[in-house]
Amino acid sequence: GTVTNSERRISRVRAAVTAPGQARGDWAIAADLGRRLAVALDRPQDARLLDFATPESVWNEHRESTRGRDLDITGLSYAQLETAGPAQWPLPEGASTGQARLYADGRFPTADGRARFAAVSWQPVAEERVSQFPFSLTTGRLRDQWHGMTRTGTAGRLFAHSPEPCVQMNPQDAQRLGLQDGELVQVRSKRGSLVLPVQASAQVASMQAFIAMHWGPEVLSGRDAQGEAGLGVNVLTTSSYCPTSKQPELKHAAVKVLKAELPWTLLGVAWLPEASALTALTELRSLMPSFDFASCVPFGRERTGVLFRAAAHDAPDPALIERIETLLGLATGDALRYVDKRRQQRRTARLQRGAGAEGETVTLEAFLLAGDTSAENWIKTLLQDELPAGRYGRLLLMPSASAPVAVVAKSPQVCTCFNVSEDAIRGAL
């Protein structure tokens, strides 16, 4: 097909790989859906309107729809794009090249040819901060994600920079509220509330809070003002919008931030076969509404991993925990287990043995901590950094916040695309 950039330059886009299996192009799927709708609406004669055979046939109809308009491209053919390369619109029939600069002749696409200027007055935000809701919440993009994560939400490597949902606050505000990094907080607006970990960040101004717009119900559980399952971060935002552009005011909402009292916690992390990881991710996400807080995200670069985190006022039914264990590949006979029904605690770990250049290797493939997740700091690093785990054995079931055997974590990743660590840069310097 084609893509048009912000300087009005149209380029051909070519397939990078052959479509696998029964996969089809978006244009073919949309056309097929349209033909089926025509029949379902008892208008079979309209099916011919979507009888496209190739991307070029779609392009030709689009090109004709621009005739006589500001973006007239009736003089640009698919063959020209293929052989001569990108071109700028407008490029009407009879023209040899596109127009590099619009309106240089002083005429605009209005009835009288004159430009229209909109003199707008400043308007305050729809929801001002008040003492009950003293923080300004803004939402925005993450560096490595795009739109609603519909195309990137299953790629573990794109979560390396911002691995899990969180609310960022200025360090002074967090200190004043007595909040530590990683603690669960409740962010509440007039419309609903959301529970998620807090993270101190000097990039956030005082009395402001930031939650990425990508943290929707697919990765983060939430509750609205009536206690019903919410819509991720947008359970907090307003429904106000600009009357002219219809742009929603998602960049500001008045909220308050309170420490969440959810004593029972759970963390499950596992490397999974690529063929089954997406199914496990989908089924784990369906379990998120069973908890007062839950998030589920992928991770990994060369391998595929899944991380499930949850918290609740009280321990859930043991069957629910067993279901999570099964989805994480922990329902096997060789898994190490510890269960304390009285304290409502459960810990499970599975090791993988293999052959390496220096002999047998032992790595941690999956674990689940329920009721007491104090061992998270070292055991999660052990798994995600794929460090040797042969010396641990049943020590993996210890609830201690300190590792029973020293764990040397890999240095922070600086470049996601090429997997460059901070240590590698320092070593090169």
Side-chain angles (χ1 to χ4, degrees):
T2 66
V3 65
T4 307
N5 70 8
S6 55
E7 62 154 359
R8 298 172 286 104
R9 194 174 299 278
I10 305 169
S11 304
R12 272 281 283 115
V13 178
R14 298 166 182 82
V17 295
T18 303
Q22 295 180 319
R24 295 180 292 162
D26 290 349
W27 68 273
I29 296 170
D32 188 30
L33 175 61
R35 288 191 291 268
R36 294 187 187 195
L37 281 172
V39 174
L41 296 171
D42 198 25
R43 292 163 55 181
Q45 70 279 6
D46 288 346
R48 62 180 177 78
L49 299 175
L50 293 155
D51 194 18
F52 300 112
T54 63
E56 182 178 358
S57 60
V58 180
W59 159 263
N60 289 335
E61 179 167 310
H62 162 64
R63 180 182 63 181
E64 185 58 34
S65 74
T66 69
R67 185 179 296 275
R69 296 166 60 195
D70 196 30
L71 70 160
D72 193 324
I73 53 171
T74 50
L76 182 61
S77 70
Y78 216 60
Q80 284 175 269
L81 286 173
E82 189 69 59
T83 57
Q88 284 180 291
W89 66 258
L91 204 164
E93 197 168 22
S96 58
T97 60
Q99 193 170 326
R101 190 173 182 86
L102 288 179
Y103 315 128
D105 58 359
R107 291 196 59 81
F108 295 82
T110 58
D112 60 5
R114 301 181 66 182
R116 298 285 186 268
F117 289 89
V120 297
S121 301
W122 175 85
Q123 297 290 330
V125 293
E127 188 173 73
E128 296 278 6
R129 292 186 301 188
V130 293
S131 58
Q132 189 179 3
F133 299 98
F135 287 92
S136 291
L137 172 70
T138 186
T139 64
R141 297 191 193 284
L142 293 176
R143 187 192 74 180
D144 293 344
Q145 299 295 347
W146 183 250
H147 290 321
M149 293 168 69
T150 50
R151 299 188 181 206
T152 58
T154 58
R157 62 187 291 181
L158 297 179
F159 284 77
H161 182 251
S162 300
E164 295 183 61
C166 71
V167 54
Q168 292 184 323
M169 299 178 66
N170 184 274
Q172 292 182 345
D173 290 333
Q175 184 179 22
R176 179 169 50 82
L177 296 175
L179 301 173
Q180 301 292 325
D181 268 14
E183 277 190 310
L184 291 176
V185 297
Q186 185 181 76
V187 184
R188 179 177 288 276
S189 72
K190 294 177 182 178
R191 290 155 297 281
S193 66
L194 198 63
V195 175
L196 69 177
V198 67
Q199 183 184 84
S201 172
Q203 293 180 325
V204 180
S206 180
M207 302 310 296
Q208 290 191 352
F210 173 82
I211 302 176
M213 62 175 240
H214 311 286
W215 305 131
E218 297 84 2
V219 293
L220 179 66
S221 68
R223 302 282 174 185
D224 63 17
Q226 287 71 45
E228 299 295 329
L231 301 174
V233 64
N234 281 343
V235 77
L236 303 170
T237 55
T238 76
S239 57
S240 302
Y241 60 90
C242 170
T244 303
S245 69
K246 305 301 187 283
Q247 178 76 18
E249 192 171 341
L250 300 175
K251 294 295 182 184
H252 185 274
V255 300
K256 59 183 173 184
V257 181
L258 306 169
K259 187 173 182 179
E261 299 296 338
L262 299 174
W264 190 90
T265 56
L266 178 146
L267 175 66
V269 186
W271 293 113
L272 296 172
E274 186 177 359
S276 60
L278 185 57
T279 299
L281 194 69
T282 302
E283 294 196 30
L284 283 167
R285 287 174 174 175
S286 71
L287 302 177
M288 292 196 303
S290 303
F291 300 91
D292 296 303
F293 157 77
S295 65
C296 187
V297 294
F299 69 89
R301 188 175 178 86
E302 283 78 21
R303 302 181 67 188
T304 306
V306 174
L307 184 150
F308 184 88
R309 189 184 296 276
H313 290 284
D314 302 299
D317 190 314
L320 178 60
I321 311 304
E322 291 169 6
R323 175 61 179 156
I324 295 171
E325 283 187 337
T326 300
L327 292 171
L328 293 174
L330 286 164
T332 59
D334 59 348
L336 304 173
R337 301 181 188 282
Y338 170 85
V339 179
D340 187 333
K341 294 182 180 179
R342 184 176 64 84
R343 295 184 178 181
Q344 297 178 319
Q345 294 181 10
R346 187 185 190 100
R347 290 185 284 279
T348 312
R350 181 169 62 82
L351 295 167
Q352 177 72 40
R353 298 183 182 276
E358 300 179 2
E360 185 183 58
T361 61
V362 181
T363 54
L364 180 62
E365 291 293 289
F367 71 85
L368 181 135
L369 309 175
D372 183 343
T373 56
S374 58
E376 171 185 347
N377 290 337
W378 60 270
I379 197 170
K380 184 155 73 81
T381 299
L382 192 67
L383 182 141
Q384 291 185 329
D385 288 357
E386 299 185 85
L387 302 175
R391 295 182 294 169
Y392 290 85
R394 292 192 174 274
L395 295 177
L396 292 169
L397 303 180
M398 287 182 60
S400 173
S402 301
V405 179
V407 174
V408 181
K410 292 181 180 178
S411 66
Q413 185 186 62
V414 177
C415 173
T416 301
C417 297
F418 294 99
N419 197 26
V420 180
S421 69
E422 183 178 300
D423 281 354
I425 295 173
R426 291 186 183 278
L429 293 175

